[in-house]
């Protein structure tokens, strides 16, 4: 009954102001044939996904530009309904802490693409893609699309069980020019950006862009640095267009120390790694504790991650006839990376040799090479738009764990380089994944274009074969296969700005290679599960209502998701130890909820955005762990807040624009049996900008000031930095990361 009452309340909240507005005789009728003009009055594309047959939210270039340069595209989506997003840095770029979930699905069960290029599931140990933070520079993005359900059939993803994030790059400018900006802020933050456009040269245009960021940590030692190059070239002619993309990124990330409820209580909010105090780290490793530290795993000397990525793509769009269009997009991605963690002797799988420090540098080795092609063919005949396509990808991924000894007189050693040694290895695996996915869809309109229907299906065959190059992890092959995953949606234009939509879709998740998948267990566990292991599947149903006019955009979506074969990865030890994980199929999960969006812009100067979410996601079955019954039936899904709310008010006066926003995230659990609960929290942000155009020395000049966590709230952001656990009655499971304190940033942006 609670679930029924909550969507009803949201529906009433949506309908009362809209009905009153729609009944106003002074309101001009909406031209249903010109949605572009309607949305232009709101300075944006249709935020609520007008005319779509499923729940879709969108952000255009103007909205993207309101964020502090360097903000992660995923963080930009955090105010939208259904989005549970957390990070322990103000930009959402710290990959160890960044998490997003939708409708009870975590970040590894969502799909991500960049101009159609598959980005995998963006897991930190991802064996099938890369983080969106490394995929493209924020200033070079043109649009962000979020589908809280399963996304379009043609999405190149095998992980989009519960949602899809699509990044679209901005096209090169038709006029030549240069844009530069610089940002400085709290704790010594520094970032620079430059872009040069060629302008239109007989159908060819392009740009090259570079970015550098140095972001010192707000607690502890060291910083996070990233150097990135983007290039895009476009050639158009009457018969089509060819687009080339290149992304080169070099990132060194110094993450924050994983905490537990117990260590937070003993050591406080700003407790972190020990660097640069090497001697104290040695003392703790030798059992000589000081301060709040009571065991060798309370904290370590330091840790970091290194990622080198190269992504390239060429997309051809060929207009074969007025009705027939062919799209061909080959792509290539190479990733070389390493994770470092200083481990004390008590966690080492070997005894340090005489003359060695009681600490070694734990190395996580990552090497990935993947290439593929995304193709589609569309045909327009009458009222029908028929489209089909296929996606092929071959991926090779190697992961390993080893320990680099440290001389007692030579510690600490550098974390800023990639070591190619494999001393004291505990495991090393090589994965080969062959992905084959196809789809067919018909979109058509009937009843004088008032009813639009999308209907189709997709299928895939994803086979991953793992070879254990060293003992310690499992070998073997698993296949996720389905020839028919249907999707159908409808949009009905009621009139006077109102429309209704409904959709149903089925999806299946491929088995995840790497450190957190089925092969992260030992061989005996894998062999025992292999015959019964089934890929995760979901059935998504949505029903919604939208209203759009010259000043209002609003939507209300109700959904039900049935999720089966939910695979839980259980971490049985401290993260630094790298012991084999345990995998459990907890059976079914059900999510029900409502998502509400309301955007009011009565004048070009004033804009008020609101979203509210209610999500009830629960496990439907118990499961067995080593023969012990784990009572998860009826428990809330981990990291799945029931309530979320966001609001942002912006106002433009003269050459200034001011904004004030807030986001509430409800309580969350990080244990499967729900015996540990993290309280909900409110965050506030503010911004002020001043902009001038057509100056003597620049086409545009913009100076912006942004403040994050305005009220300096202390809160727990990430709840699964080392995964989730069955139960944590003593509060000692170290998988929590706290959010960043109040910070301020000043940006100067110029175009020439």
């Amino acid at each position: 009954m609670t679930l029924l009452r909550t969507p009803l309340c949201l529906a009433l909240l949506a309908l009362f102001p809209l009905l009153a507005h729609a009944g106003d005789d002074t309101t001009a009728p909406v031209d249903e044939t010109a949605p572009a003009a309607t949305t232009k009055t709101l300075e944006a594309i249709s935020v609520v996904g007008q005319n779509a047959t499923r729940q879709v939210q969108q952000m255009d270039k103007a909205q993207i530009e309101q964020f502090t340069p360097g903000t992660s595209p995923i963080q930009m989506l955090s105010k939208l309904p259904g989005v549970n997003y957390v990070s322990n840095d103000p930009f959402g770029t710290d990959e160890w802490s960044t998490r997003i979930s939708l409708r009870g699905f975590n970040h590894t069960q969502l799909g991500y693409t960049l101009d159609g290029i598959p980005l995998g599931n963006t897991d930190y140990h991802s064996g099938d893609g890369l983080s969106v933070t490394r995929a493209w520079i924020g200033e070079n993005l043109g649009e962000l699309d979020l589908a809280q359900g399963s996304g379009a059939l043609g999405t190149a993803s095998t992980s989009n069980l519960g949602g899809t994030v699509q990044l679209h790059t901005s096209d090169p400018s038709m006029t030549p020019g240069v844009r530069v900006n610089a940002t400085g802020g709290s704790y010594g933050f520094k970032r620079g950006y430059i872009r040069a456009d060629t302008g239109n040269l007989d159908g060819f245009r392009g740009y090259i862009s570079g970015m550098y960021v140095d972001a010192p940590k707000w607690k502890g030692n060291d910083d996070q640095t990233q150097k990135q190059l983007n290039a895009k070239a476009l050639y158009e002619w009457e018969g089509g267009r060819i687009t080339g993309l290149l992304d080169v990124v070099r990132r060194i990330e110094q993450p924050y120390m994983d905490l537990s409820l117990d260590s937070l209580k003993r050591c406080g909010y700003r407790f972190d790694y020990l660097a640069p105090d090497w001697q104290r780290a040695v003392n703790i490793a030798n059992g000589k504790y000081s301060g709040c530290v009571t065991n060798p795993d309370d904290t370590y000397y330091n840790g970091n991650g290194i990622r080198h990525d190269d992504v390239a793509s060429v997309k051809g769009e060929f207009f074969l006839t007025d009705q027939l269009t062919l799209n061909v997009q080959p792509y290539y991605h190479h990733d070389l990376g390493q994770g470092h963690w200083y481990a004390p002797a008590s966690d080492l799988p070997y005894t340090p040799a005489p003359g060695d420090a009681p600490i070694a540098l734990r190395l996580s080795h990552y090497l990935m090479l993947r290439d593929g092609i995304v193709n589609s063919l569309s045909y327009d005949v009458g009222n029908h738009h028929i489209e089909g396509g296929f996606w092929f990808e071959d991926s090779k991924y190697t992961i390993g764990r080893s320990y680099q000894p440290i001389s007692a007189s030579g510690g600490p050693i550098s974390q800023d380089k990639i070591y190619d040694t494999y001393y004291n290895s505990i495991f090393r695996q090589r994965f080969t994944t062959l992905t084959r996915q196809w789809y067919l869809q018909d979109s058509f309109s009937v009843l004088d274009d008032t009813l639009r229907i999308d209907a189709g299906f997709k299928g895939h065959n994803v086979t991953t074969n793992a070879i254990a190059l060293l003992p310690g992890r499992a070998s073997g092959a698993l296949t996720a296969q389905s020839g028919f995953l249907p999707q159908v949606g409808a949009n009905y234009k009621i009139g006077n700005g109102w429309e209704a939509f409904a959709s149903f879709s089925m999806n299946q998740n491929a088995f995840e290679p790497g450190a957190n998948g089925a092969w992260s267990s030992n061989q005996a566990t894998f062999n025992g599960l292999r015959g019964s292991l089934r890929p995760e599947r979901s059935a998504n149903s949505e029903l919604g209502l939208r209203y759009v006019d010259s000043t209002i955009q609003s939507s209300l979506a109700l959904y039900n998701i049935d999720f089966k074969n939910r695979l839980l990865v259980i971490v049985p030890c401290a993260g630094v130890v790298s012991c084999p994980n345990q995998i459990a199929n907890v059976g079914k999960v059900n999510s029900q909820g409502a998502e509400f969006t309301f955007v009011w812009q009565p004048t070009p100067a004033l804009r008020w955005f609101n979203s509210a979410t209610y999500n009830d996601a629960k496990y439907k079955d118990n499961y067995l762990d080593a023969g012990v019954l784990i009572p998860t039936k009826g428990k809330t899904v981990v990291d799945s807040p029931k309530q979320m709310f966001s609001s942002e008010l912006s106002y433009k006066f003269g050459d200034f624009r001011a904004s004030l926003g807030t986001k509430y995230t409800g309580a969350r659990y990080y244990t499967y049996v729900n015996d540990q609960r993290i309280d909900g929290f409110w965050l506030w942000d503010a911004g002020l900008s001043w902009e001038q155009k057509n100056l003597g020395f620049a086409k545009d000049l913009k100076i912006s000031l942004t403040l994050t966590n305005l009220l300096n709230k202390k809160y727990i952001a990430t709840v699964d930095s080392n995964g989730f656990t069955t139960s944590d009655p003593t509060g000692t499971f170290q998988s929590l990361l706290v959010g960043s304190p109040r910070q301020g940033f000043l940006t100067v942006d110029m175009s020439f």
Side-chain angles (χ1 to χ4, degrees), residues 293-340:
V293 175
T294 60
N295 69 79
D297 289 316
D298 270 344
T299 184
Y300 310 117
Y301 177 72
N302 213 345
N304 83 339
I306 303 174
R307 292 291 188 276
H308 295 173
D309 289 281
D310 304 291
V311 181
S313 167
V314 177
K315 181 178 182 179
E317 302 168 77
F318 306 102
F319 310 135
L320 304 180
T321 69
D322 290 341
Q323 295 82 32
L324 191 63
T325 301
L326 173 66
N327 293 306
V328 180
Q329 185 177 20
Y331 63 89
Y332 167 87
H333 175 209
H334 175 266
D335 171 80
L336 174 64
Q338 198 162 85
H340 299 151

Side-chain angles (χ1 to χ4, degrees), residues 662-681:
T662 186
K663 171 74 180 280
Y664 172 74
T665 301
R668 298 160 293 156
Y669 296 97
Y670 68 88
T671 60
Y672 296 124
V673 300
N674 290 179
D675 64 348
Q676 287 294 0
R677 179 179 182 269
I678 303 301
D679 292 337
F681 58 92

